[in-house]
Amino acid sequence: MTNRKRAQEEAKELLRGIGARQVRLVCGLVVFSYVTSHFLNHALGNISVEAMEIGVHYHTAFWQFLPVAVAFYTAALTHTGLGIWAFYQRREFRWRAIEPLQLALGLSIPLLIMFHVIGVRLGVTLFGHQKLYPQELYTFWVARPDRGLQIAIVLRAVPVGGRGAAPDARAARPLPGRT
């Protein structure tokens, strides 16, 4: 068997072992990475608003780079769709105590991210309206405190969603040829 044929067989075997659960897990990790880097940038506000503005420059340079942005938006949509699909396929609804909370938070995170993207990203793209951190902080904590509450919910929801994925990661089948 030639090296090329062997590589093709190994690739087929690898792809055969990947299911919706593994795809949802990987997409969730991409979304989790984005939200974590975003919140780390917010944490720079503990130093100063100037530190936040420097941090957001690097954050946007990475996440708005076209291939990364396409991968992020694809992962977010795929993760949301596969989460809804997993809920739809569920055969029984005897839940552990944490599962309804995980479901509610898991379905709210994409909506809250969507509102944020529409408000910030599309504002820049469509209208050239660049919001900087002083405007955002004023909006979240003075003009619209309900928006600050949304941020607080997401700050709490993302780690709960990540912990909800931990059993999925442990239960995932090992890839073929891996021990």
Side-chain angles (χ1 to χ4, degrees):
M1 184 182 287
T2 66
N3 286 340
R4 183 180 181 134
K5 284 186 179 184
R6 188 174 320 153
Q8 287 175 343
E9 290 298 320
E10 288 176 6
K12 284 181 186 178
E13 185 67 25
L14 178 67
L15 291 176
R16 196 174 301 132
I18 297 175
R21 195 177 202 179
Q22 287 86 1
V23 172
R24 191 176 84 206
L25 180 65
V26 169
C27 291
L29 288 172
V30 172
V31 173
F32 186 77
S33 299
Y34 172 80
V35 173
T36 301
S37 69
H38 191 70
F39 287 153
L40 286 173
N41 193 62
H42 284 279
L44 290 174
N46 292 326
I47 299 170
S48 69
V49 174
E50 292 80 22
M52 288 174 76
E53 290 175 354
I54 292 169
V56 79
H57 170 73
Y58 292 106
H59 176 80
T60 56
F62 178 76
W63 289 103
Q64 290 181 3
F65 179 57
L66 187 60
V68 176
V70 168
F72 168 67
Y73 293 131
T74 302
L77 290 172
T78 303
H79 184 70
T80 302
L82 288 175
I84 293 169
W85 180 253
F87 177 68
Y88 171 75
Q89 283 190 318
R90 193 169 185 144
R91 300 285 185 242
E92 61 182 53
F93 290 96
R94 286 182 290 165
W95 291 353
R96 293 175 293 161
I98 192 72
E99 288 180 319
L101 177 65
Q102 286 176 334
L103 176 66
L105 293 176
L107 293 176
S108 69
I109 290 170
L111 291 174
L112 294 171
I113 289 174
M114 224 174 11
F115 289 141
H116 186 63
V117 167
I118 289 169
V120 176
R121 176 73 185 213
L122 289 181
V124 172
T125 304
L126 297 177
F127 307 112
H129 184 247
Q130 180 71 38
K131 283 188 177 178
L132 301 174
Y133 271 111
Q135 292 91 351
E136 286 293 317
L137 292 173
Y138 177 80
T139 299
F140 289 150
W141 305 114
V142 178
R144 297 275 314 271
D146 59 307
R147 300 292 304 276
L149 180 62
Q150 286 178 349
I151 287 178
I153 291 170
V154 171
L155 273 169
R156 193 62 214 133
V158 170
V160 170
R163 276 197 303 274
D168 284 347
R170 287 191 301 265
R173 299 181 299 217
L175 294 174
R178 308 275 197 262
T179 56

